[in-house]
């Protein structure tokens, strides 16, 4: 019986959702010549944002958060900002997932940059994980308040 409770306890810990405090994830990827952008954050991380925004988070959590993210996280391709439209949302394991799609097709990428100021005005320790999978460029970066700019030069073969 002791063995069974030991195994059950560790299986519960191993298969429980992992909560990483003070981090949001932004993933940029291409499908059918359109840039997709997914965003994920633990819902508990939105408490300060809820208090500071005039948006009604109790009724429109995804809409309010998507507007904030779209205003404070910008992807530039060849020095031009990419416009994204909110597409859908979901909540899994207390994480808010937002999905965006670019309004224009991707063409001839020579450089990318990202400017991201999300959540730094609420929490100076917050980090934004940026994952890029655009054409042949695949990388992951962790930005903080000191490094909210990211510049990437795409090497052509």
């Amino acid at each position: 019986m002791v063995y069974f409770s030991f195994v059950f306890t560790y299986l519960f810990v191993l298969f429980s959702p992992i909560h990483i405090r003070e981090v949001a994830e932004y993933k940029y990827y291409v499908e059918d010549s359109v840039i997709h952008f997914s965003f994920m954050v633990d819902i508990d991380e939105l408490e300060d944002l809820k208090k500071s925004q005039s948006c009604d988070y109790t009724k429109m959590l995804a809409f309010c958060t998507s507007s904030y993210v779209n205003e404070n996280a910008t992807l530039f391709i060849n020095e031009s900002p990419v416009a994204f439209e909110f597409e859908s949302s979901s909540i899994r394991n207390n994480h808010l997932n937002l999905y965006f799609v670019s309004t224009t097709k991707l063409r001839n990428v020579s450089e990318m940059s990202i400017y991201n100021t999300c959540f730094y005005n609420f929490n100076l320790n917050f980090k934004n994980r940026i994952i890029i999978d655009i054409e042949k460029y695949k990388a992951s970066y962790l930005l903080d308040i000191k490094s909210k700019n990211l510049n990437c030069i795409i090497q052509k073969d």
Side-chain angles (χ1 to χ4, degrees):
M1 184 67 174
V2 173
Y3 174 75
F4 183 71
S5 65
F6 176 77
V7 170
F8 179 74
T9 302
Y10 282 99
L11 283 176
F12 180 75
V13 170
L14 288 174
F15 292 103
S16 296
I18 296 172
H19 174 67
I20 301 173
R21 301 278 315 158
E22 303 177 328
V23 176
E25 181 179 280
Y26 307 73
K27 182 175 182 183
Y28 298 92
Y29 58 98
V30 177
E31 285 180 2
D32 300 323
S33 299
V34 176
I35 301 174
H36 293 261
F37 164 35
S38 66
F39 168 82
M40 182 181 69
V41 69
D42 190 293
I43 291 174
D44 297 337
E45 299 293 343
L46 299 175
E47 287 305 313
D48 290 329
L49 180 62
K50 290 177 188 177
K51 294 174 192 169
S52 72
Q53 300 293 309
S54 59
C55 202
D56 185 358
Y57 272 85
T58 57
K59 294 181 182 171
M60 300 184 300
L61 175 69
F63 175 76
C64 296
T65 307
S66 69
S67 296
Y68 175 81
V69 169
N70 220 356
E71 291 170 11
N72 292 282
T74 307
L75 171 69
F76 296 86
I77 301 286
N78 303 333
E79 298 183 8
S80 296
V82 177
F84 287 98
E85 289 181 345
F86 176 64
E87 190 172 62
S88 65
S89 67
S90 65
I91 295 176
R92 287 185 300 251
N93 298 326
N94 203 47
H95 288 89
L96 175 64
N97 297 279
L98 304 176
Y99 304 94
F100 302 84
V101 64
S102 65
T103 58
T104 59
K105 298 255 183 198
L106 180 67
R107 289 186 211 123
N108 213 7
V109 179
S110 59
E111 69 180 86
M112 279 183 291
S113 60
I114 293 173
Y115 183 70
N116 188 318
T117 60
C118 290
F119 307 107
Y120 300 140
N121 52 338
F122 311 116
N123 182 344
L124 298 177
N125 297 315
F126 204 87
K127 305 232 181 329
N128 289 305
R129 171 149 321 277
I130 309 296
I131 300 168
I132 301 171
D133 186 359
I134 296 178
E135 293 188 340
K136 294 181 180 180
Y137 194 86
K138 295 176 183 12
S140 175
Y141 302 93
L142 192 61
L143 303 181
D144 59 22
I145 194 165
K146 295 176 189 166
S147 62
K148 51 190 166 244
N149 290 320
L150 174 64
N151 297 305
C152 313
I153 304 295
I154 310 300
Q155 300 293 326
K156 296 293 180 183
D157 293 334

